[in-house]
């Protein structure tokens, strides 16, 4: 996988560029070409010069292509922008995206060209037929208009890099109006400000996700992340009321983003067109105040749970079956009971029917999703009555609800002990799986000496920094986030951790008992499993 | 004999064809009662996949039943 952005001072060869994103794993390739056009604001253009503050522009361009890779789950993103003198019809900018499927490739390509036009500082000097010339700063359109729309700027200077991007002037919209909720004594201006600063990640933009997203966007939550790797199917529409029949086949995260931006331009909506997994969630979850699990399978719910619990972020879970639903709120900061206190492990998929197998009536996820939106707002606004260490059962046929107490389970080693719930003061951690710890975003550092590492390589992808070097250069791990040091038996790593803590590095831990104890335990676990 | 009130959710409700029933049983524990009800209704979910709550709180399967207990058998649910 690669995301590259570069400038070219010589003509760009599209065929050669296409070859650089070719990949046998990809079934779709989408490219965009922007050409020099012969007319701008009524003046005949003969040619132009592009100039860029290259260092800055490349950095911003690289950021954009990396975002596209991550948000849309495509495999290769490449953008080349010309600088220097260009004549009419010449290729000014080329974007190419390859992906397993076409929908993501189209979306990512569109994203890159739009963002490049808005964010990368490039100037162009146009040479007009009358002998005049004028500089146009392409970055100027990065200024939002009064309407506040993020991507719908009215352009006063025609300066499209390409002819395929006609920008319609943005309609003038009234400002978002929160008066009806601010009217509530518990909310008011202060509560509205809290919502504006809040950040919520919604995993799953389906039956549960649609009401969650609609209400949170309407309420003016500042940042809404949407993670969903699925495309819209016609069978979704009876319960996913944000979408239209004409949207079928498109990624739901992008469809929802478009609708929510139209619903409330105040909200910074961030789509992630990818499956929620431990690896895709770990780097994201810590950026949010609440994560809402609106997924439709156990594996995803547990991945969301573990990532949130690990990052100390509150999470709101719901799931449905035919006419019923279950709701659970897991508090932030490792407080209270968790999903694994109730269900130790994810039930294998297929044991209990999902919506496709068991059927579902549209309002059922509508009600449960609305409850999730409500619990999320209660958490963000500190309203009373939040479901706390409880599971709510809702039966929409009998209209009965039941609030069951679910206190912390002392046997919950997975959700309440294993993952990052140890207070920062404890220096040593024990883990069932170092691979999961790495996937959860910890930096693993092997501090044994060279001979030891050569003799017995570490059982997990890790960085090798011998102990003395680490003590001499603690800056190697400074700012790298949560870090676990490993040695053979756990004593050197503990001493080093204590020394680093004393120097102010608070997010460093030592692997208790070292690699020997870990491997012995992992071996025992493998033996036990094979007996079962 | 102990008389308890049993509530079913999701797939158990489907298989029992009722959302609740009152049962008089020789079973001493929540687990023994589930085994008895499984024999009667043909429940397909193993006890290990399920949870039980007694009188409004999640409880161990070995919990002893008392007259008048409200028993809720809860299967895992994942739809969205
Ligand atoms: Zn727990």
């Amino acid at each position: 996988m690669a995301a590259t952005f570069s400038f070219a001072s010589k003509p760009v060869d599209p065929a050669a560029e296409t070859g650089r994103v070719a990949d046998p794993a990809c079934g779709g390739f989408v490219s965009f070409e922007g050409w020099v056009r012969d007319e701008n604001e009524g003046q005949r253009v003969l040619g132009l010069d592009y100039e860029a503050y290259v260092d800055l522009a490349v950095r911003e361009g690289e950021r954009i292509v990396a975002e596209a890779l991550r948000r849309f789950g495509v495999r290769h993103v490449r953008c080349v922008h010309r600088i220097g003198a260009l004549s009419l019809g010449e290729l000014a900018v080329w974007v190419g995206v390859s992906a397993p499927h076409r929908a993501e490739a189209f979306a990512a390509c569109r994203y890159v060209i739009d963002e490049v036009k808005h964010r990368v500082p490039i100037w162009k000097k146009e040479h007009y037929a009358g002998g005049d010339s004028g500089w146009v700063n392409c970055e100027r359109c990065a200024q939002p208009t009064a309407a506040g729309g993020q991507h719908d700027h009215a352009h006063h200077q025609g300066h499209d890099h390409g002819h395929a991007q006609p920008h319609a002037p943005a309609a003038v919209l009234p400002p978002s109006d929160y008066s009806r909720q601010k009217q509530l004594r518990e909310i008011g201006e202060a509560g509205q400000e809290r919502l504006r600063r809040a950040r919520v990640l919604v995993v799953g933009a389906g039956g549960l996700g649609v009401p969650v997203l609609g209400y949170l966007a309407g309420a003016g939550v500042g940042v809404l992340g949407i993670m969903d790797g699925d495309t819209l199917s016609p069978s979704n529409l009876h319960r996913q009321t944000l979408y239209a029949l004409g949207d079928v086949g498109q990624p739901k995260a992008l469809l929802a983003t478009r609708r929510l931006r139209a619903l409330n331009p105040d909200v910074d909506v961030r789509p992630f067109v990818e499956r929620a997994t431990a690896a895709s969630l770990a780097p994201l979850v810590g950026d949010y105040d609440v994560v809402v699990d609106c997924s439709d399978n156990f594996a995803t719910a547990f991945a969301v749970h573990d990532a949130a619990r690990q990052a100390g972020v509150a999470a709101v879970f719901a799931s449905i079956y035919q006419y019923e639903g279950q709701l659970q709120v897991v508090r932030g900061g490792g407080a209270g009971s968790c999903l694994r206190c109730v269900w130790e492990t994810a039930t294998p998929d297929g044991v209990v029917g999902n919506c496709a197998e068991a059927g579902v009536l549209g309002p059922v996820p509508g009600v449960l999703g609305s409850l999730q939106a409500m619990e999320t707002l209660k958490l963000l606004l500190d309203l009373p009555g939040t479901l706390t260490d409880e599971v709510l059962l809702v039966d929409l046929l009998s209209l009965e609800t039941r609030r069951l107490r679910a206190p912390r389970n002392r046997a919950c080693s997975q959700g309440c002990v294993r993952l990052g719930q140890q207070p920062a003061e404890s220096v040593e951690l024990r883990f069932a799986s170092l691979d999961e710890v790495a996937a959860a975003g910890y930096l693993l550092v092997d501090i044994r000496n060279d001979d030891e590492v050569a003799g017995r390589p570490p059982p997990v992808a890790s960085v090798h920094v011998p102990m003395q070097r680490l003590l001499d250069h603690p800056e190697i791990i400074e700012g790298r986030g949560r870090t676990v040091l490993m040695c053979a038996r756990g004593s050197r790593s503990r001493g080093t951790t204590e020394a680093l803590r004393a120097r102010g590095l608070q997010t460093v831990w030592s692997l208790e008992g070292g690699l020997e104890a870990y491997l012995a335990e992992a071996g025992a676990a493998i033996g036990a499993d094979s007996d079962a | 004999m102990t008389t308890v009130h049993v509530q079913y959710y999701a797939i158990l409700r489907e298989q029992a064809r009722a959302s609740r029933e009152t049962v008089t049983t020789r079973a001493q524990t929540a687990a023994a009662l589930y085994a008895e009800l499984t024999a009667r209704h043909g429940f397909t979910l193993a006890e290990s996949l399920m949870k039980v709550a007694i009188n409004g709180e999640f409880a161990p399967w070995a919990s002893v039943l008392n007259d008048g207990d409200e028993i809720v058998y809860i299967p895992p649910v994942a739809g969205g």
Side-chain angles (χ1 to χ4, degrees), chain A residues 124-457:
Chain A
K124 78 178 170 184
K125 187 181 194 180
E126 294 182 328
H127 305 287
Y128 305 120
D132 286 348
S133 61
W135 282 101
V136 181
N137 177 359
C138 301
E139 201 186 11
R140 89 173 57 235
C141 52
Q143 309 302 321
T145 62
Q150 229 188 329
H151 294 274
D152 301 306
H153 308 294
H155 286 213
H156 303 297
Q157 296 277 0
H159 60 274
D160 272 8
H161 300 296
H163 53 233
Q165 297 282 319
H167 282 237
V172 177
L173 299 171
S176 300
D177 183 336
Y178 307 107
S179 59
R180 296 302 188 271
Q181 67 190 38
K182 284 197 290 191
Q183 187 72 20
L184 294 163
R185 196 182 310 119
E186 297 78 7
I187 299 179
E189 281 298 340
Q192 195 58 49
E193 179 58 19
R194 280 174 92 146
L195 293 178
R196 195 184 66 76
R197 291 166 187 272
R199 305 161 67 95
V200 178
L201 176 64
V202 179
V203 178
L208 293 165
V210 160
V212 170
L213 289 165
Y215 286 125
L216 295 184
V221 166
V223 176
L224 263 185
I226 308 174
M227 186 179 277
D228 194 315
D230 285 347
T231 54
L232 187 71
S233 133
S235 67
N236 296 152
L237 290 166
H238 79 121
R239 65 187 186 285
Q240 302 178 18
T241 57
L242 203 58
Y243 310 121
L245 205 47
D247 296 333
V248 164
Q250 296 187 56
K252 288 201 252 187
L254 300 182
L255 292 171
T257 298
R258 199 187 310 150
R259 294 295 299 273
L260 298 176
R261 282 179 180 161
L263 169 68
N264 188 351
D266 285 0
V267 180
D268 177 1
V269 186
R270 303 181 180 177
F272 301 94
V273 183
E274 59 188 312
R275 263 175 55 81
T277 62
S280 64
L281 288 162
L284 275 186
V285 164
D287 292 344
Y288 292 86
D289 303 310
V290 180
V291 180
V292 189
D293 171 56
C294 300
S295 67
D296 60 358
N297 64 84
F298 295 108
T300 304
F302 277 73
V304 169
H305 171 266
D306 291 350
R309 195 77 171 146
Q310 155 83 59
V313 172
V316 180
F317 296 88
S319 53
I320 53 168
Y321 183 87
Q322 296 187 335
Y323 306 100
E324 298 166 32
Q326 299 180 2
L327 183 71
Q328 188 179 358
V329 177
V330 175
R331 284 184 273 165
S337 61
C338 75
L339 190 68
R340 287 187 186 271
C341 284
V342 179
W343 309 98
E344 293 80 10
T345 53
T347 303
D349 281 308
V351 171
V352 185
N354 58 24
C355 293
E357 295 148 6
V360 66
L361 207 51
V364 176
V367 170
L368 270 294
S370 298
L371 289 172
Q372 285 183 289
M374 188 66 200
E375 290 305 300
T376 302
L377 292 173
K378 280 155 74 176
L379 286 172
L380 296 174
L381 292 165
D382 239 335
L383 296 178
T386 305
L387 201 61
T388 305
D389 298 348
E390 290 161 292
V391 172
L392 182 75
L393 302 180
V394 180
D395 179 346
L396 289 165
L397 284 179
S398 65
L399 291 175
E400 276 179 331
T401 61
R402 221 169 240 272
R403 233 173 139 151
L404 300 172
R405 290 183 298 282
R408 192 147 173 167
N409 180 350
R410 248 170 278 154
C412 178
S413 58
Q414 296 254 315
C416 288
V417 179
R418 191 190 53 136
L419 288 171
Q421 293 315 311
Q422 288 86 347
E425 310 86 67
S426 83
V427 165
E428 297 187 298
L429 293 182
R430 262 193 123 83
F431 299 105
S433 159
L434 284 175
D435 290 314
E436 279 182 38
V437 172
Y442 279 86
L443 174 68
L444 299 176
V445 182
D446 188 340
I447 64 162
R448 294 177 297 163
N449 63 38
D450 295 352
D451 291 347
E452 290 177 278
V453 173
R456 198 169 189 188

Side-chain angles (χ1 to χ4, degrees), chain B:
Chain B
M1 300 288 270
T2 315
T3 299
V4 297
H5 308 286
V6 185
Q7 179 93 27
Y8 300 117
Y9 279 92
I11 196 167
L12 294 191
R13 173 182 50 73
E14 268 187 282
Q15 292 172 344
R17 295 172 186 281
S19 62
R20 59 181 294 130
E21 63 179 325
T22 298
V23 182
T24 300
T25 177
R26 283 181 205 290
Q28 307 264 315
T29 64
L33 177 59
Y34 187 69
E36 185 183 311
L37 295 168
T38 296
R40 187 187 312 163
H41 296 303
F43 292 150
T44 53
L45 284 184
E47 174 198 304
S48 60
L49 293 171
M50 308 266 308
K51 293 296 154 191
V52 61
I54 302 175
N55 300 329
E57 178 156 345
F58 283 85
W61 282 97
S63 301
V64 172
L65 303 180
N66 293 300
D67 264 326
D69 277 352
E70 285 276 339
I71 316 284
V72 186
Y73 291 113
I74 308 144
V77 159

